Coordinates of all heavy atoms in Angstrom, one line a residue:
L1115 N 179.3 116.2 23.3 CA 179.5 114.9 23.9 C 180.4 115.1 25.2 O 180.2 114.5 26.2 CB 180.2 114.0 23.0 CG 179.4 113.4 21.8 CD1 180.2 112.6 20.8 CD2 178.2 112.6 22.4
V1116 N 181.4 116.0 25.1 CA 182.3 116.3 26.2 C 181.5 116.9 27.4 O 181.6 116.5 28.5 CB 183.5 117.2 25.8 CG1 184.2 117.7 27.1 CG2 184.4 116.4 24.9
L1117 N 180.6 117.9 27.0 CA 179.8 118.5 28.0 C 178.8 117.6 28.7 O 178.6 117.6 29.9 CB 179.0 119.7 27.4 CG 179.9 120.9 27.0 CD1 179.0 121.9 26.2 CD2 180.5 121.6 28.2
L1118 N 178.2 116.7 27.8 CA 177.3 115.7 28.4 C 178.0 114.7 29.4 O 177.5 114.4 30.4 CB 176.6 114.8 27.3 CG 175.5 115.5 26.5 CD1 175.1 114.7 25.3 CD2 174.3 115.8 27.4
A1119 N 179.2 114.3 29.0 CA 180.0 113.4 29.8 C 180.3 114.1 31.2 O 180.2 113.5 32.2 CB 181.3 113.0 29.1
G1120 N 180.7 115.4 31.1 CA 181.0 116.1 32.3 C 179.7 116.3 33.1 O 179.8 116.2 34.4
A1121 N 178.6 116.5 32.5 CA 177.3 116.7 33.3 C 177.0 115.4 34.0 O 176.5 115.4 35.1 CB 176.2 117.1 32.3
V1122 N 177.2 114.2 33.3 CA 176.9 112.9 34.0 C 177.8 112.7 35.2 O 177.3 112.3 36.3 CB 177.1 111.8 32.9 CG1 177.0 110.4 33.7 CG2 176.0 111.9 31.9
Q1123 N 179.1 113.0 35.0 CA 180.0 112.9 36.2 C 179.6 113.8 37.3 O 179.7 113.5 38.5 CB 181.4 113.1 35.7 CG 182.0 112.1 34.7 CD 183.3 112.4 34.2 OE1 183.9 113.5 34.4 NE2 184.0 111.5 33.5
L1124 N 179.3 115.1 37.0 CA 178.9 116.0 38.0 C 177.6 115.6 38.7 O 177.6 115.7 39.9 CB 178.6 117.4 37.3 CG 178.3 118.6 38.3 CD1 179.4 118.8 39.3 CD2 178.0 119.8 37.5
Q1125 N 176.7 115.0 38.0 CA 175.5 114.6 38.6 C 175.8 113.4 39.5 O 175.2 113.3 40.6 CB 174.4 114.1 37.6 CG 173.1 113.6 38.1 CD 172.3 114.7 38.8 OE1 172.6 115.9 38.6 NE2 171.3 114.3 39.6
A1126 N 176.7 112.5 39.1 CA 177.0 111.3 39.9 C 177.7 111.8 41.3 O 177.4 111.3 42.3 CB 178.0 110.4 39.2
V1127 N 178.6 112.8 41.2 CA 179.2 113.4 42.4 C 178.2 114.0 43.3 O 178.2 113.8 44.5 CB 180.3 114.4 42.0 CG1 180.8 115.1 43.2 CG2 181.4 113.7 41.3
R1128 N 177.2 114.8 42.7 CA 176.2 115.4 43.5 C 175.3 114.4 44.2 O 175.0 114.6 45.4 CB 175.3 116.3 42.5 CG 174.2 116.9 43.3 CD 173.2 117.6 42.2 NE 172.1 118.2 42.9 CZ 171.0 117.5 43.3 NH1 170.9 116.2 43.1 NH2 170.0 118.2 43.9
E1129 N 174.9 113.3 43.5 CA 174.1 112.3 44.2 C 174.8 111.6 45.2 O 174.2 111.1 46.2 CB 173.5 111.4 43.1 CG 172.5 112.0 42.2 CD 171.9 111.1 41.2 OE1 172.3 109.9 41.2 OE2 171.0 111.5 40.4
E1130 N 176.1 111.4 45.1 CA 176.9 110.7 46.1 C 177.0 111.5 47.3 O 176.9 111.0 48.5 CB 178.3 110.4 45.5 CG 179.2 109.6 46.5 CD 180.5 109.3 45.9 OE1 180.7 109.5 44.7 OE2 181.4 108.8 46.7
R1131 N 177.2 112.9 47.2 CA 177.4 113.7 48.3 C 176.1 114.2 48.9 O 176.0 114.4 50.1 CB 178.2 115.0 47.9 CG 179.6 114.6 47.5 CD 180.5 115.9 47.2 NE 181.8 115.6 46.9 CZ 182.7 116.5 46.6 NH1 182.4 117.8 46.6 NH2 184.0 116.1 46.2
Y1132 N 175.1 114.4 48.1 CA 173.8 114.8 48.5 C 172.7 113.9 48.0 O 172.0 114.3 47.0 CB 173.5 116.3 48.1 CG 174.6 117.2 48.4 CD1 175.6 117.6 47.4 CD2 174.8 117.7 49.7 CE1 176.6 118.5 47.7 CE2 175.8 118.6 50.0 CZ 176.7 119.0 49.0 OH 177.8 119.8 49.3
P1133 N 172.6 112.7 48.5 CA 171.6 111.7 48.0 C 170.2 112.3 48.2 O 169.9 112.9 49.2 CB 171.8 110.5 48.8 CG 172.5 111.0 50.1 CD 173.3 112.2 49.7
P1134 N 169.3 112.0 47.2 CA 167.9 112.5 47.3 C 167.2 111.8 48.5 O 167.4 110.6 48.7 CB 167.3 112.1 46.0 CG 168.1 111.0 45.4 CD 169.5 111.3 45.9
L1135 N 166.4 112.6 49.2 CA 165.6 112.0 50.3 C 164.5 111.1 49.7 O 164.0 111.3 48.7 CB 165.0 113.1 51.1 CG 166.0 114.0 51.8 CD1 165.2 115.2 52.5 CD2 166.8 113.3 52.8
A1136 N 164.3 110.0 50.5 CA 163.2 109.0 50.1 C 161.9 109.6 50.1 O 161.0 109.2 49.4 CB 163.2 107.8 51.0
S1137 N 161.7 110.7 50.8 CA 160.4 111.4 50.9 C 160.2 112.5 49.9 O 159.2 113.2 50.0 CB 160.2 111.9 52.3 OG 161.2 112.9 52.6
D1138 N 161.2 112.7 49.0 CA 161.1 113.7 48.0 C 159.7 113.5 47.2 O 159.4 112.4 46.8 CB 162.2 113.6 47.0 CG 163.5 114.3 47.5 OD1 163.4 114.9 48.6 OD2 164.5 114.2 46.9
D1139 N 159.0 114.6 47.1 CA 157.7 114.5 46.4 C 157.9 114.4 44.9 O 158.7 115.1 44.3 CB 156.9 115.8 46.7 CG 155.6 115.8 46.0 OD1 154.9 114.8 46.2 OD2 155.2 116.8 45.5
E1140 N 157.2 113.4 44.3 CA 157.3 113.2 42.9 C 156.0 113.9 42.3 O 154.9 113.8 42.9 CB 157.3 111.8 42.5 CG 158.6 111.1 42.9 CD 158.7 109.7 42.5 OE1 157.9 108.9 43.2 OE2 159.4 109.3 41.6
S1141 N 156.2 114.5 41.1 CA 155.0 115.1 40.6 C 155.1 115.1 39.0 O 156.2 114.9 38.5 CB 154.9 116.6 41.0 OG 156.1 117.3 40.7
L1142 N 154.0 115.2 38.4 CA 153.9 115.4 37.0 C 153.5 116.8 36.7 O 152.4 117.3 37.1 CB 152.8 114.5 36.4 CG 153.2 113.0 36.2 CD1 152.0 112.2 35.8 CD2 154.4 112.8 35.3
Y1143 N 154.4 117.6 36.0 CA 154.0 119.0 35.8 C 152.9 119.1 34.8 O 152.2 120.1 34.8 CB 155.3 119.7 35.3 CG 156.4 119.8 36.4 CD1 157.5 119.0 36.3 CD2 156.2 120.6 37.5 CE1 158.5 119.0 37.3 CE2 157.2 120.6 38.5 CZ 158.3 119.8 38.4 OH 159.2 119.9 39.4
L1144 N 152.8 118.2 33.8 CA 151.8 118.1 32.9 C 151.0 116.8 33.0 O 151.5 115.8 32.7 CB 152.3 118.3 31.4 CG 152.7 119.7 31.0 CD1 153.3 119.6 29.6 CD2 151.5 120.6 31.0
R1145 N 149.8 116.9 33.5 CA 149.0 115.7 33.7 C 148.0 115.5 32.6 O 147.4 114.4 32.5 CB 148.2 115.8 35.0 CG 149.1 115.6 36.3 CD 148.3 115.7 37.5 NE 149.1 115.3 38.7 CZ 149.1 114.1 39.3 NH1 148.4 113.2 38.8 NH2 149.9 113.9 40.3
S1146 N 147.8 116.5 31.7 CA 146.9 116.3 30.6 C 147.6 115.7 29.5 O 148.5 116.2 28.8 CB 146.4 117.7 30.2 OG 145.6 117.6 29.0
S1147 N 147.2 114.4 29.2 CA 147.8 113.7 28.1 C 147.4 114.3 26.7 O 148.2 114.3 25.8 CB 147.4 112.2 28.1 OG 146.0 112.1 28.3
D1148 N 146.3 114.9 26.6 CA 145.9 115.6 25.4 C 146.8 116.8 25.1 O 147.2 117.0 24.0 CB 144.4 116.0 25.4 CG 143.5 114.8 25.4 OD1 143.8 113.8 24.8 OD2 142.4 114.9 26.0
T1149 N 147.1 117.5 26.2 CA 148.0 118.7 26.0 C 149.4 118.2 25.6 O 150.0 118.8 24.7 CB 148.1 119.4 27.3 OG1 146.8 119.9 27.7 CG2 149.1 120.6 27.2
L1150 N 149.9 117.1 26.2 CA 151.2 116.6 25.8 C 151.2 116.1 24.4 O 152.2 116.3 23.7 CB 151.5 115.4 26.8 CG 152.1 115.9 28.1 CD1 152.1 114.7 29.1 CD2 153.5 116.4 27.9
R1151 N 150.1 115.5 24.0 CA 150.0 115.1 22.6 C 150.2 116.2 21.6 O 150.8 116.1 20.6 CB 148.7 114.3 22.4 CG 148.6 113.6 21.0 CD 147.5 112.6 20.9 NE 147.6 111.9 19.7 CZ 147.1 110.7 19.5 NH1 146.6 110.1 20.5 NH2 147.1 110.1 18.4
R1152 N 149.5 117.3 21.9 CA 149.6 118.5 21.1 C 151.0 119.1 21.1 O 151.5 119.5 20.0 CB 148.6 119.6 21.5 CG 147.1 119.2 21.1 CD 146.2 120.4 21.3 NE 146.2 120.9 22.6 CZ 145.3 120.5 23.5 NH1 144.4 119.5 23.2 NH2 145.3 121.0 24.8
L1153 N 151.6 119.1 22.2 CA 153.0 119.6 22.4 C 154.0 118.7 21.7 O 155.0 119.2 21.1 CB 153.4 119.8 23.8 CG 152.7 120.9 24.6 CD1 153.0 120.8 26.1 CD2 153.0 122.3 24.1
A1154 N 153.8 117.4 21.7 CA 154.7 116.5 21.1 C 154.7 116.6 19.6 O 155.7 116.3 18.9 CB 154.5 115.1 21.6
G1155 N 153.6 116.9 19.0 CA 153.5 117.1 17.6 C 153.8 115.8 16.8 O 153.2 114.7 17.1
A1156 N 154.8 115.8 16.0 CA 155.1 114.7 15.2 C 155.9 113.6 16.0 O 156.2 112.5 15.5 CB 156.0 115.1 13.9
Y1157 N 156.3 113.9 17.2 CA 157.1 113.1 18.0 C 156.3 112.3 19.1 O 156.9 112.0 20.1 CB 158.3 113.8 18.6 CG 159.1 114.5 17.6 CD1 159.0 115.9 17.3 CD2 160.1 113.8 16.9 CE1 159.7 116.5 16.3 CE2 160.9 114.4 15.9 CZ 160.7 115.8 15.6 OH 161.5 116.4 14.7
T1158 N 155.0 112.1 18.9 CA 154.2 111.5 19.9 C 154.6 110.1 20.3 O 154.6 109.7 21.4 CB 152.7 111.5 19.5 OG1 152.6 110.8 18.2 CG2 152.1 112.9 19.4
L1159 N 155.1 109.3 19.3 CA 155.5 107.9 19.6 C 156.8 107.9 20.4 O 156.9 107.1 21.3 CB 155.7 107.2 18.3 CG 154.5 106.9 17.4 CD1 154.8 106.1 16.2 CD2 153.3 106.3 18.2
S1160 N 157.7 108.8 20.1 CA 158.9 108.9 20.9 C 158.6 109.4 22.3 O 159.1 108.9 23.3 CB 159.9 109.9 20.2 OG 160.3 109.4 19.0
A1161 N 157.7 110.4 22.4 CA 157.3 110.8 23.7 C 156.6 109.7 24.5 O 156.8 109.6 25.7 CB 156.3 112.0 23.6
S1162 N 155.8 108.9 23.8 CA 155.1 107.8 24.5 C 156.2 106.8 25.0 O 156.0 106.3 26.2 CB 154.2 107.0 23.5 OG 153.6 105.9 24.1

């Protein structure tokens, strides 16, 4: 929990000093929903 809190604070400082560009490319590394379903296994509903 302490490490997560620190990570959140660090990310907030990073975004304040180095805000992401509006033109940053967004992508899906896995576009195959069938592949994702196999990878998710018993956690498909949570993944959904």
Side-chain angles (χ1 to χ4, degrees):
L1115 290 175
V1116 169
L1117 290 174
L1118 283 173
V1122 169
Q1123 293 177 351
L1124 182 62
Q1125 180 67 15
V1127 171
R1128 177 189 179 278
E1129 291 184 356
E1130 181 179 351
R1131 295 185 179 179
Y1132 308 102
L1135 297 175
S1137 60
D1138 279 354
D1139 181 46
E1140 293 181 287
S1141 60
L1142 282 174
Y1143 295 106
L1144 282 175
R1145 287 179 174 263
S1146 171
S1147 46
D1148 290 330
T1149 300
L1150 278 166
R1151 186 166 188 153
R1152 287 194 296 271
L1153 290 173
Y1157 302 99
T1158 53
L1159 296 184
S1160 297
S1162 177

